[in-house]
C-alpha cells in the first residue's frame, strides 16, 4: 500500500506538471505534441528493494524553482545546454553528461539552450545502498563525456512497452550504474587534475595580472595546454571566463590605486596592465557603470 501511495503521488505530480499540455495515454505512455515521452512503470505485486518509477524523455517541462522529491533520478543529457541547480551549487549540462538527483535534496533543471534529457526515477532500500556504493559526492553530481550511452538509452526507451517497461527501466538503471562504477574513478581523477591545472593558471594570473602581455594564448602555452582547453576548463572551474577574471583583477586593483590617492588615469591604466588608457576606461565603465574620472570624483 505504501508503494502504491508513492507511485500515485508521483503520477499526480507528473500529470500536474504537464497540465498545460494536451495529454493522452497509450499503454502507459504519455505522449505530448512537443515529443515528450513519459513511460510509467506498473506497480509490481512482488516485494522489491529497487523500484523504478518512470522513464521519461524530457523536452519541454523545466521548473524555475527548487523541487523536493522523495525519489532518486539518473539522467543523461541528449542535446542542447542546461543547468542543474542544487542548494550546493549550479552545474552546466551538455550532451553526454550523466547527472544524478538525490532523494529529499532540492534541485531544478534549467533549459539554457534547447536542452533535452532522458531520466529514470527510482526508490528503494537498494537504491540508497547503490548511491552510497557509487561514492559520487552529491556536491558534484555531474559525470561528463558519456555520449556512448545516448543511443543505448534512446533505444531502451523506444522498445519499452507495458509488457517490458519494468524490466527495461531497471536493466537500464543497473547498466548505467555499473558503467559509472567502471568509469567514475578515472573521470574523477581527471576532473581533479583539471581543477589543479586551472588553479595554477588562476594563481599565475593573481600574481602577474599587471603584465600587459598576458593573454589566454600565451598563458596556455606557458602551461603547455591548448588555449581552447584552458578557456573551457577555466570557465567551468572559476565560473568566469579567462578574460573576465583577468579584467576583474585589473579593475579591482585600479580601484585600490584610486583609494590610496593615485588620480592620474593614464598612470592607473598602465599600473594595472592596460597600455591603452581609452580601452581601460571602456572596461572600467563596463564593470563599474561610470568612467574612471567619474569614479574618482565620487570618492574624492
Amino acid at each position: 500500500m505504501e508503494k502504491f501511495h508513492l507511485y500515485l503521488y508521483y503520477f499526480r505530480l507528473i500529470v500536474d506538471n504537464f497540465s498545460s499540455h494536451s495529454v493522452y495515454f497509450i499503454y502507459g505512455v504519455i505522449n505530448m505534441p512537443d515529443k515528450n515521452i513519459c513511460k510509467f512503470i506498473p506497480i509490481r505485486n512482488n516485494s522489491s528493494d529497487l523500484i523504478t518509477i518512470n522513464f521519461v524523455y524530457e523536452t519541454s517541462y523545466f521548473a524555475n524553482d527548487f523541487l523536493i522529491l522523495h525519489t532518486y533520478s539518473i539522467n543523461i543529457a541528449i542535446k542542447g545546454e542546461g543547468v542543474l541547480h542544487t542548494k550546493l551549487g549550479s552545474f552546466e549540462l551538455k550532451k553526454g553528461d550523466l547527472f544524478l538527483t538525490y532523494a529529499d535534496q532540492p534541485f531544478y533543471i534549467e533549459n539554457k539552450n534547447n536542452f533535452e534529457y532522458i531520466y529514470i526515477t527510482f526508490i528503494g532500500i537498494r537504491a540508497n545502498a547503490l548511491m552510497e556504493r557509487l561514492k559520487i559526492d552529491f556536491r558534484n553530481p555531474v559525470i561528463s563525456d558519456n555520449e556512448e550511452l545516448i543511443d543505448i538509452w534512446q533505444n531502451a526507451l523506444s522498445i519499452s512497452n507495458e509488457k517490458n517497461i519494468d524490466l527495461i527501466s531497471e536493466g537500464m538503471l543497473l547498466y548505467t550504474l555499473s558503467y559509472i562504477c567502471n568509469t567514475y574513478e578515472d573521470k574523477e581523477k581527471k576532473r581533479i587534475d583539471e581543477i589543479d591545472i586551472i588553479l595554477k593558471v588562476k594563481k599565475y594570473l593573481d600574481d602577474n595580472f599587471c603584465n600587459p602581455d598576458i593573454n589566454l594564448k600565451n598563458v596556455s602555452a606557458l602551461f603547455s595546454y591548448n588555449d581552447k582547453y584552458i578557456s573551457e576548463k577555466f570557465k567551468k572551474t572559476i565560473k568566469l571566463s579567462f578574460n573576465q577574471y583577468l579584467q576583474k583583477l585589473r579593475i579591482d586593483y585600479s580601484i585600490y590605486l584610486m583609494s590610496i590617492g593615485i588620480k592620474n588615469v593614464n598612470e592607473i591604466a598602465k599600473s594595472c596592465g592596460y597600455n591603452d588608457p581609452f580601452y581601460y576606461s571602456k572596461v572600467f565603465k563596463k564593470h563599474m557603470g561610470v568612467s574612471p574620472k567619474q569614479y574618482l570624483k565620487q570618492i574624492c
Side-chain angles (χ1 to χ4, degrees):
M1 183 60 69
E2 182 180 351
K3 292 175 185 175
F4 175 77
H5 286 159
L6 180 57
Y7 179 84
L8 186 60
Y9 158 77
Y10 205 83
F11 176 85
R12 286 173 175 168
L13 177 64
I14 296 295
V15 171
D16 287 344
N17 286 341
F18 295 117
S19 60
S20 61
H21 298 274
S22 299
V23 179
Y24 58 95
F25 293 85
I26 300 179
Y27 303 121
V29 180
I30 298 180
N31 290 289
M32 271 67 71
D34 53 10
K35 78 178 181 176
N36 268 43
I37 301 173
C38 181
K39 299 192 177 184
F40 290 92
I41 292 86
I43 297 297
R44 275 81 96 195
N45 292 326
N46 59 309
S47 176
S48 174
D49 55 4
L50 182 65
I51 303 170
T52 50
I53 305 296
N54 52 26
F55 202 172
V56 179
Y57 193 130
E58 184 58 72
T59 64
S60 62
Y61 176 73
F62 297 92
N64 56 14
D65 202 358
F66 286 101
L67 304 170
I68 299 178
L69 302 179
H70 302 301
T71 59
Y72 296 100
S73 77
I74 188 164
N75 315 258
I76 186 163
I78 302 301
K79 64 178 292 188
E81 298 174 336
V83 183
L84 171 63
H85 296 280
T86 75
K87 290 293 186 180
L88 296 175
S90 296
F91 305 87
E92 299 284 335
L93 301 171
K94 64 182 186 305
K95 182 178 179 180
D97 286 349
L98 280 170
F99 59 102
L100 295 104
T101 67
Y102 295 78
D104 303 317
Q105 295 288 337
F107 76 95
Y108 71 96
I109 297 167
E110 174 190 350
N111 180 4
K112 190 174 179 182
N113 180 24
N114 299 318
F115 189 57
E116 297 181 7
Y117 67 106
I118 304 175
Y119 67 88
I120 299 171
T121 55
F122 58 101
I123 57 172
I125 296 172
R126 190 179 177 203
N128 301 335
L130 285 169
M131 297 304 274
E132 289 183 11
R133 176 178 172 181
L134 292 177
K135 296 181 180 178
I136 297 175
D137 187 343
F138 63 81
R139 292 169 293 187
N140 294 295
V142 179
I143 306 170
S144 300
D145 304 322
N146 305 284
E147 291 191 27
E148 63 268 29
L149 292 178
I150 291 177
D151 287 344
I152 300 172
W153 274 67
Q154 290 180 317
N155 184 60
L157 185 62
S158 68
I159 66 174
S160 60
N161 55 49
E162 76 280 7
K163 295 179 181 179
N164 64 17
I165 183 66
D166 58 329
L167 298 175
I168 286 182
S169 60
E170 186 172 322
M172 195 70 254
L173 170 64
L174 292 174
Y175 176 84
T176 305
L177 294 179
S178 67
Y179 172 90
I180 292 173
C181 282
N182 285 339
T183 62
Y184 179 70
E185 186 174 342
D186 290 341
K187 289 185 176 181
E188 181 65 5
K189 183 180 183 302
K190 180 181 177 183
R191 187 184 72 84
I192 291 171
D193 290 344
E194 289 173 351
I195 291 173
D196 184 57
I197 292 296
I198 295 307
L199 290 179
K200 288 178 180 177
V201 171
K202 177 182 176 296
K203 178 67 165 56
Y204 182 82
L205 292 182
D206 292 342
D207 293 341
N208 298 278
F209 65 87
C210 293
N211 181 349
D213 295 325
I214 281 184
N215 57 51
L216 174 62
K217 189 171 183 178
N218 60 33
V219 171
S220 300
L222 180 66
F223 285 88
S224 302
Y225 280 89
N226 179 276
D227 55 338
K228 290 183 179 179
Y229 174 87
I230 292 295
S231 176
E232 177 187 343
K233 300 306 178 184
F234 193 95
K235 187 171 184 179
K236 182 177 179 181
T237 304
I238 307 300
K239 310 305 181 188
L240 292 172
S241 71
F242 180 97
N243 286 333
Q244 286 172 334
Y245 186 73
L246 180 58
Q247 286 181 356
K248 183 179 183 304
L249 289 173
R250 288 173 169 174
I251 297 304
D252 287 348
Y253 185 60
S254 73
I255 291 171
Y256 166 73
L257 295 177
M258 293 176 188
S259 73
I260 61 173
I262 300 176
K263 298 180 181 180
N264 186 298
V265 173
N266 288 355
E267 182 183 350
I268 293 170
K270 188 174 182 180
S271 296
C272 53
Y274 292 101
N275 286 329
D276 183 349
F278 294 104
Y279 180 67
Y280 160 71
S281 295
K282 181 179 177 180
V283 174
F284 188 96
K285 187 171 183 178
K286 181 180 176 181
H287 280 258
M288 303 302 297
V290 294
S291 69
K293 289 183 179 180
Q294 290 171 324
Y295 187 84
L296 281 165
K297 288 180 182 178
Q298 291 176 4
I299 65 173
C300 288

